[in-house]
Amino acid sequence: MKTSASERVASWYARYFPDSLIFALVLTVVAMALALIFTDSGPGDVLDAWFVGIPMLFTFAFQLAFTYAAALVLVDTPKVQQGIKWAASKITRPQTAYIATGVLGALTSFIGWYIGPVVTAIFARAIAKEMKNVDYRLISAIAYSSFVISLTGISGTIPLFVASEGPLTETIGGLIGLEDTTFSVMNLVSAAAIVIATTVTFYFIARNKKEIVSFADLAVSGGVPASAEAGGSEGEGDDSLGGSNTFADRVNKSRIPILTIGLLGLGYLVYFFAQNGLAGLNLNTVAFIALVIGFLAQKNAVAYAASFARNLVSTGSIMLQFPIYGGIASIFAATGLAGVLTDGLVSVATPETYLTITFLITGVLNLFVPSAGSQFVATAPFLIPGGEAFGIDNTLTVMAITYGDIWTNLIQPFWALLYFPILAVGTKLRVRDFMGYCLPILIIVGIIWILALNFLPLHL
């Protein structure tokens, strides 16, 4: 069967791109080698930096693992599954499914980078399960690609960093508010252009697809932890309690304890958001919301605990790989490698090319340091003064760093791990199965952001 160009690219990527853990380990070795070659650090210094960095993302990894396990518990209930199936049933054409997934993902990711992956992955999975003519690899790629504007949005790490007092406030020339970054004309127009361009691109990729690999084709028989696949999670809690009727059994089977705590949590959320508004949204808030809604949706505490433990297994990639990237980030920062590479590349820039080069530099560095905050702290002390020397507004340099940091996420599997626990559970789906479809999006998004940085105004 003759395949389309996009399918050939995706197939090539799946054949030659290693497992995401291997990718992280290779980058670790490369970072160590570069530090030894281009800095004054000795082997001991490099290994010290690596050792110190491993725990840097322990808290972040736990936050994400907890949030995703709690979100999967919510999905792991018959009522929620019925709601998802009802929503998915309203979509009858594959093209509509692809477009809806991309638009939903972009909107939710712009609101919160910690919200988009959960919502979009659940939605994409539900649609693919219901529609046999939807390619599961492609809709997974669309879900992940929609994340590309996340860190330019309301929860963007770098825009929030420069809007708050911190160690680099003086370096960037004072506070830079969200109205100059997230809500600038340049950012909003480029974000809209990216959503439109990626939607159109995926529309044609889908239309030209010759081979459809459905959710059912990738499903592992008997390997789906979520009861939603069989609609039996609530029953599982009862089965595990057996047929006895002791006081302890009645308490375990009762919904009152878990419902009481769920209602208390819900009441507090109403109060919390009344006091803080959307400014109160962060990863901890989302984790709490997932926990509370899960308490309200599950039948009893035992069923909840069983579902949580079962679904926690699927977050293993996050728990393992995030600390490894913490070690890489520490090597770049502690040895001065980020500064050396940045200085060398900026030295060949001109006022006309500076923003483009900054964008490309941070895009390359993002492959090694995919944490926006870590990369900004490591590069801003070199890139901001470099831009000032050319008379470039610090806000533009900040946005060039922001865009570059997100751009190469389209080929870096680190952030795909946010989607993977939900998309892959109970299937043979691998990250490399869908990342290849993101390559044309990488090119398109790169062009849009380079044009935006050089030609769009921050404000009208």
Side-chain angles (χ1 to χ4, degrees), residues 254-278:
S254 173
R255 196 181 179 198
I256 293 176
I258 195 170
L259 182 62
T260 301
I261 299 301
L263 289 173
L264 282 173
L266 181 62
Y268 177 74
L269 283 172
V270 172
Y271 166 78
F272 178 81
F273 283 111
Q275 295 293 313
N276 298 280
L278 286 178

Side-chain angles (χ1 to χ4, degrees), residues 41-104:
S41 303
D45 299 320
V46 173
L47 291 174
D48 282 341
W50 178 56
F51 173 76
V52 169
I54 293 291
M56 280 172 44
L57 295 183
F58 278 176
T59 300
F60 187 36
F62 177 81
Q63 287 173 314
L64 289 173
F66 181 91
T67 301
Y68 278 80
L72 285 167
V73 170
L74 180 60
V75 180
D76 195 11
T77 58
K79 290 181 181 178
V80 173
Q81 279 298 305
Q82 290 166 8
I84 293 174
K85 288 181 179 179
W86 176 85
S89 68
K90 301 301 178 183
I91 298 175
T92 57
R93 296 176 61 248
Q95 297 289 11
T96 307
Y98 297 137
I99 292 172
T101 299
V103 173
L104 175 68

Side-chain angles (χ1 to χ4, degrees), residues 199-246:
T199 299
V200 171
T201 301
F202 278 125
Y203 172 84
F204 284 105
I205 289 175
R207 195 178 72 170
N208 295 325
K209 233 179 172 312
K210 308 299 182 189
E211 179 188 13
I212 301 296
V213 177
S214 68
F215 179 91
D217 294 330
L218 293 172
V220 177
S221 177
V224 183
S227 73
E229 308 292 320
S233 111
E234 294 189 276
E236 180 180 329
D238 293 336
D239 291 342
S240 66
L241 298 172
S244 58
N245 197 31
T246 64

Side-chain angles (χ1 to χ4, degrees), residues 13 17 23 144 363 367 406-414 435 438-439 442:
Y13 196 96
F17 197 84
F23 187 80
Y144 179 57
L367 296 174
I406 312 167
W407 177 48
T408 47
N409 285 341
L410 288 164
I411 56 171
Q412 219 289 8
F414 178 81
M435 288 288 284
C438 300
L439 289 175
L442 176 80

Side-chain angles (χ1 to χ4, degrees), residues 367-412:
L367 296 174
F368 296 88
V369 190
S371 168
S374 298
Q375 184 182 150
F376 187 76
V377 170
T379 60
F382 306 94
L383 293 174
I384 298 293
E388 287 180 334
F390 287 123
I392 295 172
D393 189 326
N394 285 349
T395 304
L396 285 172
T397 305
V398 167
M399 293 309 292
I401 297 171
T402 301
Y403 292 156
D405 174 77
I406 312 167
W407 177 48
T408 47
N409 285 341
L410 288 164
I411 56 171
Q412 219 289 8

